[in-house]
Amino acid sequence: MAIRWDGDWVWSDEATPKRNAFVRFRRMFDYTSGAATLHLTADARYVLYVNGVWIGQGPVRAWPGHWRYDSYDLTPYLHPGKNVIAVRVLHYGDGTFQYIIAPPGLLAQLEMDGQTIVSDANWKASPDAAFVAATPRIGIQQGFEEQYDARLSDDWTVASFDDTPWRSAVALRPALGGPHQNLEDRAIPFLTAEPILPQRIVKLEVVRSISHRATISIKPYLVPNDLTTNYVNLNAYVATQIWSPENVEITLPSSHGAPSAIKINGALVKDGRASLKAGWNSLLGSCHHANHLPEYVVCIDGPETLKFSARGDAGGAPWAVVGPFALNAADRRKSETFMDLTIISVPQVSDEATSEEGERIWEEGLVEGIVNRSYFQEMRPEHLPLENVFVQAYTDKVVAGEVRTERLDGLLSGSDWTTVFPDPEGRDVRILLDFGREIVGPHKFEIIASEGTILDTHNFEFIQPDGLYNFAEGMNNSFRYICREGRQSYQTYLRRGFQYSYLILRNLQDPVKIKGFQTLYSSYPQSRRGTFASSDAKLDRIWQVGADTMRACAEDTYTDCPSYEQVHWVGDARNEALVDWVVNGDPRLWYRCLEQVGQSLDRSPLTEAQVPSSWQNIIPVWSFLWMRSCREYMLFTGDRAGAARLLKFVARNIEGVATYINAEGLFDIHSWNLFDWAPMDTPNIGVVTHQNCMAVLALRDAAELSDWLDGGAQALAWRKMADTLSDAINKYLWNEETMAYTDCLRDGAHSKVYSQQTQTVALMSGVASGARAERCREIIHSPPDGFVRAGSPFFEFFLLESFQLDERDQDFVDTIRKDWGFMIDMGATTFWEMWSGRTGRLTRSHCHGWSSAPTYFLATHVLGVHPLEPGFKRVAIEPHPADLTWCRGSVPTPHGNIHVQWENPDGKPFVLRVTAPEGVEVVVKPPR
């Protein structure tokens, strides 16, 4: 729906933080009757209330030049007389993997019978002091840790609130007068809000926090004008001086974000232990590396009496940045050969900040003598968050004591108040809650507490059968709520993915009552049209867990995971879209993702690896998988108009591919040449075999998409390009001695590394034929010693594709049982990012949509339903039973569901029953 925007982007005229700024807006209006529709957007995110009722939040992630708005029917929330629209807007002020920095603002338009209200000076605006601005980043992929101080809050969302002291909002620019262009409707449904209560109370503990924790954000002192999330290659240190009243031993507990090395009084800290002398002591932390997020954490457990001052007795800031110093030759080489051309080589801050001076300072390891040098930069308070909720919770120490409670089961029922009593010695208490499965969404709770009581959460995904807690190292999966006096409620604005949640109560002076501590499961709505059941209960469970994994990774785009990143990674999304189709049959999120990827061509020669992102990054295989997904979108949905729009992006992408074809006819690029989390040889610069093969496959898929839509010379040219590239691969990348395709070329010679992955793509793409194809099959099914093997469930999507092509049905089913069954046996409720072995920590992320391959293949290969023509106009029913004795299920099509049931009795005829929508031509191919 096209909107004629008559208002302006508005903001507060009061001072707001540069980063993590929250501003509240109000608009009072009279209402009599009739329809009332609000169109709303903001940069970066908003939460909407009407007459004190939470209505929704948005907008969806988007490129600034293709920004989106939301529309709400407000009629059910209005009453005759005075009403209020209240909107809280968050402006990140910094790039993330989901957001590209642009000016802040709110844009709104309320349309009622005979009246239109727009965002202008008639709105009131006020900074929201309840949200702490100077907080740590959750991680480079997301924004800032949520810390809310209810002592500074009020009832600003209700109509009766007196906003007289608030100033009028100020207009920043016309609706289409800035970077936010092509304002379009969100085009997908709003996310769910399904209440999920804890299922189990794991333990109650008394804890003690370590005495000193520092979070140090140094990027503003390195490249102060850069707000991207591109890598920075830096040569710098963080520094402080510590005053101790006596000689004392301290420990430095580990946490994510620690400097790569720390020296105290010139001695390298080993095993997390160090000594302080009476008086001032030097601490120097090395930050000499390439880093996405130059935000560091230093933890010290020692006497409370320790004091921190970068200049020692001279006072001032507790921490300083020393440098940046000039990069040395090895650093410069790193920048030149790094996986991203966008890496920022941080320049030296002054003439005397040479690389040699940086080396001298580290060798000496002392701070006192450098405090007056030009490269000694005291840090400002906004870059030194006072609290880091994750770090405090992560480093808490369990101490002896009993947590006294009443009606503890109220946390499980949600219908009763649970009382938690203060520890007699004033220590903090925590309750570990198990929500029973991987979930994602905002927290919500009611609490009755004394002013200043703190409620923290520390969330994580998994406890292994061997008892190892898989904490979310690498991100702050945490938030803080500081209570005002009395009864209050809160719903976090951030979605978090987890299964386990530490509910931590700090500063507990009086008994606290908690009720309805829950998570609102927030995902793209699921129709669950697809079903699967078979004679193997484990396969049935695998199908279901795959569907649950995909759900947790479906929000306003497909995302890699609900916890660490929540990022639209393009390669992940290709696999997730196919799983989504066989589970739900809803094309809208699929199309939105494909279009958003295509829009990255406005910035890069090939589609980018994760979008829309402040990290400008290319993974060629992700781009080629996107091309394949454009064809698959047409095949499964039959949406000719949408596919035609996508084909224009595909054509632009192929033009970009052509610019990277070298004199030998091979695809040759400087980029992140990733395929699998495995020790393949994939240098950042040069010819990498797997992506050359994937390019062939993508070009052929693109040609078929073009045939379906218009055919002609374009499809012929793309097939010719694929054939030429295939010939070059066979000429230059096949090794006769090893009888396999090398992983890459190094200095024009074959790499010594050979992999199952490269042979798989060579076979799938049709690059390998004849005897070479047979050799690839041998390697795929039984990799020789020394060949790199599969490193992640993501790659095994392609391995299953190769089994499918070769009709190795028993290998196909046995691989699913073995590798995905292992995760089920370990207690997985969603599928993991990787499997790093059978001991130690089993994976990083415990919910990764790219790992849901079996759900797709069990429907399309084992049950046997797959389209032969776009939109399921013709469909094959081609079961592959392996050792299963029966199977039944449903697969969505644009025309309705296809229902299949088959029986595979030993020594008896195969029985197949099919029900298909009218107008669908069914081609039956029984296994015997």
Side-chain angles (χ1 to χ4, degrees), residues 235 237 325 352-363:
N235 182 5
Y237 306 98
F325 297 95
E352 67 173 337
T354 63
S355 62
E356 293 79 11
E357 177 69 358
E359 291 172 5
R360 183 194 68 78
I361 288 171
W362 179 248
E363 181 66 26

Side-chain angles (χ1 to χ4, degrees), residues 624-777:
F624 301 144
L625 288 173
W626 168 80
M627 290 168 61
R628 297 194 68 199
S629 192
C630 289
R631 171 196 169 273
E632 290 159 347
Y633 175 80
M634 176 64 179
L635 178 64
F636 280 81
T637 71
D639 175 13
R640 291 186 61 86
R645 291 190 291 272
L646 295 174
L647 185 62
K648 294 178 181 178
F649 289 123
V650 171
R652 288 173 61 187
N653 201 55
I654 293 173
E655 290 174 2
V657 172
T659 65
Y660 292 101
I661 302 299
N662 67 17
E664 287 73 35
L666 294 167
F667 182 76
D668 186 340
I669 192 171
H670 182 169
S671 64
W672 188 12
N673 295 329
L674 171 74
F675 185 32
D676 187 20
W677 297 130
M680 299 172 66
D681 191 3
T682 57
N684 298 327
I685 301 174
V687 173
V688 177
T689 307
H690 77 263
Q691 57 195 29
N692 273 265
C693 295
M694 192 65 80
V696 171
L697 183 55
L699 287 164
R700 288 171 176 165
D701 278 359
E704 186 168 28
L705 174 60
S706 181
D707 282 340
W708 289 338
L709 292 169
D710 53 28
Q714 179 173 254
L716 290 173
W718 292 349
R719 284 194 175 92
K720 182 178 179 181
M721 186 177 176
D723 292 343
T724 301
L725 181 55
S726 179
D727 291 343
I729 295 168
N730 278 298
K731 180 177 181 180
Y732 293 106
L733 301 176
W734 173 262
N735 185 278
E736 286 291 346
E737 181 179 348
T738 310
M739 295 293 289
Y741 292 95
T742 183
D743 266 11
C744 68
L745 295 180
R746 285 193 173 272
D747 298 323
H750 286 176
S751 166
K752 301 298 184 182
V753 179
Y754 296 82
S755 64
Q756 184 186 32
Q757 292 86 339
T758 295
Q759 316 316 310
T760 298
V761 186
L763 181 66
M764 284 174 47
S765 63
V767 168
S769 60
R772 292 184 179 183
E774 287 305 313
R775 172 60 174 161
C776 285
R777 290 186 178 96

Side-chain angles (χ1 to χ4, degrees), residues 55-68:
I55 304 298
Q57 59 191 80
V60 297
R61 72 190 78 192
W63 298 94
H66 301 276
W67 204 245
R68 299 285 181 149

Side-chain angles (χ1 to χ4, degrees), residues 152-194:
L152 303 176
S153 66
D154 48 39
D155 294 328
W156 67 279
T157 64
V158 301
S160 59
F161 176 76
D162 181 11
D163 61 12
T164 304
W166 288 25
R167 299 185 189 179
S168 296
V170 295
L172 299 181
R173 57 192 179 277
L176 299 178
H180 303 96
Q181 296 294 311
N182 301 311
L183 291 173
E184 300 176 30
D185 181 80
R186 66 184 285 127
I188 57 173
F190 289 104
L191 304 185
T192 62
E194 173 191 347

Side-chain angles (χ1 to χ4, degrees), residues 446 467 484 569 599 708 880:
E446 287 187 88
R484 61 177 182 267
W569 283 98
Q599 289 164 350
W708 289 338
H880 292 267

